[in-house]
């Protein structure tokens, strides 16, 4: 078992959380460049139109003509294996976006320096916070006009309740970005704006900050001294507890500050560790194999019509061909066709360790949230968190003769998290409500109903605007109220739908004992 511990200790499994346009794709590209996983940055920088339903990485492949995998990028840095999980649907939220965060041990939060914390970042951060996931912050686009760095840190603290602890500090006298200072070593790195657009690595010109010939202006040196004096240093315990975040400044596009960030992921982000189980215990990494299904994707690649379950290895060594038991059904799946790299190029994996992600092809009875384990070593992990939906529509089959296909499609899309399906106890399967975190999910679902399941649908607006997760006690109380209806998720869990936010807020204020949550945990 020693090999499992050694291999797990080398792994860092993380995701990038950000608002669209903050620079997630650019940073991903630069990570892969650094690691030598891709040859050079694409010279073609096509404007992103119409990017939505496919993975952002698939988009990166298509538009920039470079090859990266679409769901997990795996690369090495400093003798460590980094698994970077894509948070899909970057342009539009879906359940999947949140689910992916259940598969990571840390997150890199990318902010556009000029825009600060934006709504999508806020939502994704809320999931990290709920799970206690440590977050490293990268303040991007420092080459452009930005607020003062202290204002940026202030914004992070005010909006997210997260203390930003600057590891690097920007050198930006009179608004001119000249580089960053690594506060740990008091070394300055010079930013060279010229010649970086074509994907060349920027030279990080190191200099000793304390040297008499330092090019760093007196003002900036004083700022850094002040930070040192007030002890604004990285508190690793607070970072691991999810209450503080080490902050790096840079420019992904210019490839500046990226290496320091990568180093920090290796140094600071935690390796896979014992994972909490539903019964309140833990699964140690050196116990027999266990894994968590955090995402299901059908027809990932048009060339292979298939259905892939993405499994995060939580403990033990995974071996191809092994029988994995699904705790929910008690049935076994022989993992004959596990793959490591997704997208167009697939690679069969023979073994995987905690922190790795494997793709199980055509494992038909798996759904997101399932716990898998080796024979004789059962385990069940807590449910995946999601947010309450914000968009609602009633789905009707346009062809009455295709009810069977309609039901099958609806169930499948629900299972995959493309939409959440809510049913009224009195109406059952007749006119389920589709609920989504982002509106685009409806388009994807409608398209797939027609083209994949042969059951075209018509969507109709509902009178609901807001949903809150509740419990059985809550369901009883709410059932008698006006402007509220209690629907059921496929798990049976009650979901209260309100006419308006105003009604939801009023009901919550009048009934403080009611469970009305925005984060759905079952
Ligand atoms: P996203 O995946 O988070 O949506 O962001 P993406 O990396 O696609 O970046 C969004 C835009 O911001 C892109 O420009 C990109 O070139 C630019 N960008 C990223 N990092 C930096 C940076 O450090 N400095 C500056 N100045 N710009 C940066 P675009 O014109 O919208 O797209 P494109 O035509 O360049 O692809």
């Amino acid at each position: 078992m020693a090999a499992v511990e050694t291999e797990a200790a080398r792994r860092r499994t993380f995701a990038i959380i950000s608002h669209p346009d903050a620079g997630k794709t650019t940073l991903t590209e630069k990570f892969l460049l650094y690691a030598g996983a891709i040859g050079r940055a694409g010279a073609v920088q096509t404007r992103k139109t119409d990017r939505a339903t496919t993975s952002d990485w698939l988009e990166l492949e298509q538009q920039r003509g470079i090859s990266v995998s679409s769901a997990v990028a795996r690369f090495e840095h400093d003798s460590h294996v980094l698994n970077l999980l894509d948070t899909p649907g970057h342009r539009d939220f879906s359940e999947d976006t949140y689910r992916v965060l259940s598969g990571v041990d840390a997150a890199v939060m990318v902010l556009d320096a000029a825009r600060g914390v934006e709504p999508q970042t806020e939502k994704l951060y809320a999931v990290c916070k709920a799970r206690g996931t440590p977050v490293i912050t990268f303040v991007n686009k420092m080459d452009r006009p930005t607020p003062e760095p202290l204002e940026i840190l202030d914004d992070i603290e005010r909006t997210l309740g997260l203390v930003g602890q600057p590891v690097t500090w920007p050198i930006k006298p009179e608004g001119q970005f000249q580089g960053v200072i690594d506060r740990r070593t008091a070394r300055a790195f010079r930013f060279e704006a010229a010649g970086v657009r074509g994907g060349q690595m920027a030279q990080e010109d190191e200099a000793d900050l304390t040297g008499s010939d330092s090019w760093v202006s007196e003002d900036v040196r004083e700022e850094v001294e002040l930070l040192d004096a007030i002890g604004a240093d990285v508190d690793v315990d607070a970072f691991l507890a999810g209450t503080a975040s080490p902050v790096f400044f840079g420019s992904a596009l210019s490839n500046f500050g990226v290496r320091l960030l990568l180093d920090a992921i290796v140094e600071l982000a935690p390796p896979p560790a014992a994972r909490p189980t539903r019964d309140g215990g833990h699964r140690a990494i050196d116990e027999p194999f266990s894994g968590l299904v955090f995402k299901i994707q059908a027809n990932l690649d048009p060339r292979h019509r298939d259905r892939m379950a993405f499994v995060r290895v939580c403990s033990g060594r995974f071996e191809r061909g092994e029988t994995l038991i699904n705790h929910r059904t008690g049935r076994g799946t022989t993992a004959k066709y596990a793959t490591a790299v997704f997208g167009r190029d697939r690679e069969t994996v023979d073994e995987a360790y905690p922190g790795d992600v494997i793709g199980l092809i055509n494992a038909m009875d798996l759904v997101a949230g399932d716990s898998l384990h080796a024979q004789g070593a059962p385990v069940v992990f807590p449910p995946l968190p999601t947010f309450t939906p914000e968009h609602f529509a009633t789905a009707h089959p346009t062809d009455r003769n295709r009810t069977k296909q309609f039901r099958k499609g609806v169930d499948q899309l629900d299972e995959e998290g493309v939409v959440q399906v809510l049913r009224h106890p009195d109406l059952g399967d007749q006119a389920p409500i589709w609920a989504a975190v982002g509106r685009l999910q409806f388009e994807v679902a409608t398209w797939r109903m027609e083209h994949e399941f042969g059951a075209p649908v018509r969507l109709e607006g509902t009178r609901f605007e807001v949903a809150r997760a509740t419990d059985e006690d809550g369901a009883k109380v709410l059932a008698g109220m006006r402007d509220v209806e209690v629907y059921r998720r496929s798990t049976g869990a009650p979901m209260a739908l309100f006419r308006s936010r105003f009604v939801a807020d009023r009901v919550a204020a009048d009934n403080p004992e009611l469970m009305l949550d925005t984060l759905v945990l079952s």
Side-chain angles (χ1 to χ4, degrees):
M1 271 304 165
V4 171
E5 285 175 346
T6 315
E7 287 298 329
R10 284 199 324 129
R11 301 278 190 292
R12 298 291 182 274
T13 302
F14 68 106
I16 299 178
I17 60 170
S18 65
H19 192 82
D21 274 338
K24 184 183 81 156
T25 314
T26 311
L27 185 63
T28 301
E29 189 181 45
K30 294 305 181 318
F31 278 167
L32 298 179
L33 260 178
Y34 248 116
I38 56 173
R40 73 180 197 96
V44 206
Q45 299 241 328
T46 331
R47 275 218 71 80
K48 286 158 302 201
T49 49
D50 196 32
R51 52 184 282 180
T53 59
T54 54
S55 154
D56 291 318
W57 291 2
L58 219 52
E59 193 93 17
L60 187 78
E61 278 189 6
Q62 284 161 1
Q63 295 200 348
R64 302 192 185 176
I66 54 173
S67 182
V68 291
S69 61
S70 68
V72 182
R74 184 192 166 103
F75 53 95
E76 297 214 359
H77 180 70
D78 199 14
S79 310
H80 285 70
V81 177
L82 275 64
N83 292 310
L84 169 53
L85 277 55
D86 188 19
T87 40
H90 186 44
R91 297 277 139 182
D92 189 77
F93 271 133
S94 73
E95 302 285 300
D96 266 3
T97 316
Y98 301 123
R99 287 176 174 170
V100 165
L101 294 175
S102 309
V104 303
D105 300 315
V108 170
M109 176 167 77
V110 177
L111 303 179
D112 179 328
R115 294 175 161 269
V117 178
E118 296 176 87
Q120 200 150 313
T121 317
E122 220 175 309
K123 287 187 175 181
L124 290 163
Y125 174 72
V127 178
C128 294
K129 189 171 181 172
R131 299 181 48 79
T133 306
V135 173
I136 298 175
T137 303
F138 185 69
V139 181
N140 190 29
K141 306 196 187 182
M142 286 304 294
D143 55 307
R144 300 192 8 188
T146 61
E148 292 296 320
L150 278 176
E151 283 173 43
I152 298 172
L153 297 181
D154 229 35
D155 174 48
I156 298 172
E157 184 155 0
R158 222 174 339 101
T159 321
L160 303 177
L162 180 68
V163 181
Q165 298 174 327
V167 178
T168 63
W169 193 250
I171 307 166
K172 206 167 181 181
E174 280 129 42
Q176 202 59 37
F177 187 48
Q178 296 177 346
V180 295
I181 291 161
D182 184 339
R183 295 186 50 227
R184 297 163 301 186
T185 54
R187 296 193 76 79
F189 294 81
R190 193 195 289 271
F191 173 70
E192 303 279 2
V196 294
R197 273 230 155 223
Q200 298 289 317
M201 295 275 191
Q203 283 299 311
E204 292 183 334
D205 180 13
E206 282 193 49
D208 191 344
L209 189 60
T210 51
S212 54
D213 58 344
S214 175
W215 45 268
V216 179
S217 80
E218 194 55 40
D219 286 355
V220 178
R221 291 203 223 183
E222 276 171 17
E223 277 172 19
V224 172
E225 276 165 23
L226 192 68
L227 287 172
D228 292 346
I230 59 171
D233 295 329
V234 174
D235 175 344
V236 176
D237 290 337
F239 160 65
L240 292 176
T243 56
S245 176
V247 179
F248 293 78
F249 293 85
S251 165
L253 186 65
S254 318
N255 210 349
F256 187 80
V258 175
R259 184 174 58 78
L260 288 170
L261 179 62
L262 267 179
D263 290 346
I265 293 166
V266 167
E267 269 169 45
L268 296 171
R275 200 176 178 87
T277 53
R278 196 171 291 191
D279 58 12
H282 281 87
R283 179 79 159 195
I285 51 167
D286 61 354
E287 288 186 60
F289 172 85
S290 69
L292 174 70
V293 180
F294 62 88
K295 175 183 156 100
I296 299 285
Q297 199 163 350
N299 305 334
L300 186 68
D301 181 341
R303 287 188 325 190
H304 315 249
R305 282 188 67 83
D306 56 14
R307 185 171 178 276
M308 175 103 82
F310 295 82
V311 181
R312 143 92 194 215
V313 179
C314 299
S315 68
R317 176 168 177 268
F318 164 81
E319 261 177 81
R320 191 159 70 89
E322 193 175 358
T323 299
L324 312 178
I325 312 290
N326 180 356
H327 186 273
R328 184 175 51 82
T329 60
R331 281 204 291 273
T333 300
T334 308
K336 241 188 246 164
Y337 303 109
T339 63
V341 181
F342 314 109
R344 268 176 274 169
D345 303 313
R346 292 182 180 176
E347 215 175 77
T348 304
V349 283
D350 292 319
E351 58 171 23
Y353 292 95
D356 288 340
V357 173
I358 51 175
L360 299 180
I361 301 164
N362 289 339
M364 298 311 277
D365 71 338
L366 298 182
V367 303
D370 277 350
S371 305
L372 303 181
H373 58 80
Q375 245 155 354
V379 67
V380 49
F381 296 110
L384 305 182
T386 59
F387 273 97
T388 46
E390 294 176 9
H391 302 278
F392 309 90
T394 312
H396 303 275
T398 53
D399 182 347
R400 292 252 157 245
N401 295 323
R402 304 194 70 80
T403 323
K404 219 172 105 197
Q405 289 87 339
F406 174 79
R407 288 204 180 140
K408 182 163 178 260
V410 169
D411 286 347
Q412 173 74 32
L413 297 179
D414 190 20
E415 220 179 66
E416 285 181 34
V418 178
V419 287
Q420 267 182 41
V421 178
L422 305 175
R423 292 181 176 86
H424 195 278
D426 298 340
L427 298 174
D429 259 341
Q430 270 177 18
I433 287 190
W434 284 3
V437 173
R439 185 162 281 286
L440 203 84
Q441 287 172 252
F442 290 156
E443 278 169 44
V444 177
T446 312
W447 191 90
R448 287 188 54 189
M449 285 298 286
E450 181 169 351
H451 295 93
E452 204 176 310
F453 300 100
V457 294
R458 178 172 57 82
L459 292 186
E460 196 185 353
T462 72
R463 57 198 188 93
F464 304 114
E465 275 182 9
V466 174
R468 295 284 179 263
T470 187
D471 53 13
E472 293 303 332
D473 289 345
K476 276 191 213 117
V477 177
L478 293 163
M481 289 186 190
R482 278 177 52 152
D483 297 330
V484 188
E485 290 275 2
V486 178
Y487 276 67
R488 299 273 165 174
R489 290 156 54 84
S490 53
T491 56
M495 179 79 82
L497 302 186
F498 297 87
R499 274 296 276 272
S500 66
R501 185 166 301 271
F502 173 77
V503 175
D505 290 347
R506 197 196 58 211
V507 170
D510 292 350
N511 304 274
E513 76 291 351
L514 277 190
M515 172 186 162
L516 292 171
D517 288 347
T518 49
L519 207 54
V520 187
L521 291 170
S522 64

